[in-house]
Amino acid sequence: MSNERGRERYDAIVLGAGGAGLMCAAVAGQRGRRVLVIDHSGEAGKKILISGGGRCNFTNLGAGPDNYLSANPHFATSALRRYTPADFLALVDRHDIAWHEKKLGQLFCDGSARQIVAMLLEECAKGGVATQLGRTIRSVDHVDGRFRVALGDREVEAPALVVATGGPSIPKLGATGFAYDLARRFGLKVVEPRPALVPLTLGGEETLFRTLSGVAAEVIARCGAGAFREAALFTHKGLSGPAILQVSSYWRRGEPVAIDFLPSAPDGVLAAAKRARPRIRFGALLASLLPARLAETLAERLGLAGDLGNLPDRRLAEAERALRDWRFTPNGTEGFAKAEVTAGGIATAGLSSRTMEAAAVPGLYAIGEAVDVTGWLGGYNFQWAWASGWAAGQAL
Ligand SMILES: Cc1cc2nc3c(=O)[nH]c(=O)nc-3n(C[C@H](O)[C@H](O)[C@H](O)COP(=O)(O)OP(=O)(O)OC[C@H]3O[C@@H](n4cnc5c(N)ncnc54)[C@H](O)[C@@H]3O)c2cc1C
């Protein structure tokens, strides 16, 4: 429908055809709203397509507010309660998409992430949602309570505008900081965005670990309020693997990360080994608990050699303490180019946790990764995209 000036009118315009934007548009469209979704990428849901190694870890059965970081840890509660992993799973089942649980409640498609994008586009089509893909947004204005968006040579307008353009992680997929610029223009605050779920880099004294490139071990990694028992992987730049990606979201420059290299061993394991096997060498004992190259490096760092029987109990107790709380200070991260998500974003203080609408700008909504809500690794980020998209879609 066009108004007298040739501007097309909608009830709501959604900026961003990612998981959050598509969910929001489908829900609002099926509630009878005339919705337009705009994306500068020529393809919808690009991050969904590459997610979970191409199989999309589309939710986590245990997703709850405790699995998210935000300046306001309670903000996500309402949306997550109202649209749950079971709700998304029911949608997946209605579309006959086969899935499996990999571990720790993480649900993946058996086939392809493409099925999730196709499902969302079908849901949008059911709601009569219009899409404009591959279109550059030239400007966004707010005039007389209506939002006007200029696209190439046309203008569209609506009383509601949903910002769903995500965060700047993986710019080569078309990710930008557009949401933050727009939010600031409308007077909303932005919590400093930073790369999260990202490999950590090591420099200076820590470079010894870089010689372990390719070695993986199960550890407990700790940083700030985060503690994760999963695999850590040594890389030629530093450390990666799920345990490290998880703590990277909690890491701030200058802070140490602590690693427990002996998560499965009982307390006092070294002293007990001394009594049971006094002739075994310290390095050989460590190699029975850890990958050989890692054991060798750690034994060298601890400066312990020779038979266990000849090492004083005190030195073994110190060594065990060090192995359970090995501290290192990353010199950085691999940045937005390698970050699975962006932590920080549009401050939740200015948004309604029920509808995602900006208190100071009626009709303006922000959802998904653009908002200062960041999930753990394991399907939590998509669950936030669905839940926040659903909440806004119900309110439009
Ligand atoms: C490699 C990788 C794997 C991942 N795997 C998983 C996983 O398995 N499970 C999980 O839960 N999470 C995963 N994530 C995180 C998850 O993809 C995101 O949290 C989620 O996609 C966020 O959804 P969104 O809709 O808010 O933003 P996005 O999916 O980023 O969508 C934003 C959309 O806005 C568009 N856009 C951006 N700027 C502009 C602009 N200026 N003009 C117009 N359009 C614009 C983009 O093209 C994009 O289509 C992964 C992320 C990456 C990078």
Side-chain angles (χ1 to χ4, degrees):
M1 199 195 306
S2 291
N3 69 1
E4 68 286 358
R5 308 183 78 110
R7 243 179 250 122
E8 287 165 47
R9 293 182 138 176
Y10 293 90
D11 296 323
I13 297 170
V14 178
L15 304 181
L22 292 175
M23 173 60 92
C24 173
V27 169
Q30 291 180 23
R31 290 179 55 248
R33 305 293 178 266
R34 272 177 51 82
V35 183
L36 172 69
V37 181
I38 303 170
D39 203 297
H40 66 172
S41 166
E43 192 174 17
K46 270 196 173 169
K47 278 197 183 164
I48 300 176
L49 293 175
I50 57 148
S51 67
R55 291 218 160 86
C56 186
N57 178 192
F58 55 78
T59 193
N60 191 298
L61 291 175
D66 293 349
N67 307 115
Y68 295 84
L69 291 83
S70 171
N72 175 1
H74 304 297
F75 179 81
T77 308
S78 165
L80 291 170
R81 278 219 187 109
R82 284 158 62 227
Y83 192 84
T84 65
D87 290 323
F88 191 75
L89 197 51
L91 182 63
V92 165
D93 284 340
R94 281 204 297 282
H95 284 255
D96 285 328
I97 298 173
W99 55 269
H100 61 279
E101 179 178 347
K102 200 162 174 187
K103 57 171 184 175
L104 307 169
Q106 301 169 6
L107 305 191
F108 287 74
C109 298
D110 287 357
S112 159
R114 279 200 179 278
Q115 296 171 286
I116 298 293
V117 177
M119 173 186 89
L120 292 168
L121 290 175
E122 248 178 71
E123 290 293 317
C124 281
K126 246 192 247 173
V129 172
T131 50
Q132 285 284 324
L133 303 180
R135 302 299 296 262
T136 302
I137 298 167
R138 282 199 291 112
S139 62
V140 178
D141 293 300
H142 193 208
V143 184
D144 299 333
R146 298 181 74 83
F147 295 90
R148 289 184 188 166
V149 180
L151 299 169
D153 55 358
R154 13 194 320 221
E155 264 201 359
V156 291
E157 71 168 41
L161 182 74
V162 184
V163 183
T165 51
S169 48
I170 323 269
K172 70 169 194 254
L173 286 177
T176 68
F178 179 87
Y180 312 144
D181 300 339
L182 192 65
R184 286 193 186 102
R185 263 194 46 213
F186 281 102
L188 303 186
K189 293 216 163 66
V190 173
V191 175
E192 178 67 13
R194 56 181 206 284
L197 299 182
V198 64
L200 297 172
T201 57
L202 299 174
E205 286 215 331
E206 314 289 358
T207 48
L208 184 63
F209 273 143
R210 286 171 27 196
T211 62
L212 291 169
S213 181
V215 172
E218 192 189 341
V219 303
I220 298 172
R222 293 191 174 86
C223 185
F228 297 89
R229 180 173 174 164
E230 284 204 66
L233 171 70
F234 294 88
T235 72
H236 63 287
K237 289 188 179 160
L239 281 162
S240 186
I244 300 299
L245 297 180
Q246 296 279 31
V247 291
S248 75
S249 301
Y250 291 84
W251 181 73
R252 302 299 175 112
R253 196 164 283 279
E255 281 181 6
V257 170
I259 302 277
D260 178 351
F261 283 112
L262 303 173
S264 307
D267 276 345
V269 61
L270 301 185
K274 175 180 171 179
R275 285 191 299 278
R277 301 155 80 191
R279 307 289 293 275
I280 191 173
R281 300 178 72 77
F282 180 75
L285 172 69
L286 269 196
S288 70
L289 300 167
L290 294 166
R293 273 167 68 203
L294 176 61
E296 200 184 307
T297 303
L298 291 174
E300 215 174 89
R301 277 279 184 111
L302 290 166
L304 289 182
D307 292 351
L308 280 187
N310 295 329
L311 295 171
D313 286 357
R314 181 183 51 77
R315 299 275 324 265
L316 289 177
E318 278 167 15
E320 185 167 333
R321 268 199 301 279
L323 289 166
R324 290 193 186 280
D325 189 21
W326 196 280
R327 304 238 167 172
F328 67 92
T329 303
N331 68 353
T333 73
E334 290 193 29
F336 285 117
K338 293 285 164 64
E340 216 160 276
V341 290
T342 303
I346 299 172
T348 58
L351 302 176
S352 154
S353 62
R354 196 171 163 78
T355 63
M356 308 293 140
E357 187 175 15
V361 190
L364 181 68
Y365 297 75
I367 57 174
E369 199 178 315
V371 178
D372 172 33
V373 173
T374 308
W376 291 358
L377 186 74
Y380 301 97
N381 283 294
F382 279 134
Q383 188 57 38
W384 170 246
W386 319 136
S388 59
W390 187 91
Q394 288 292 331
L396 288 171

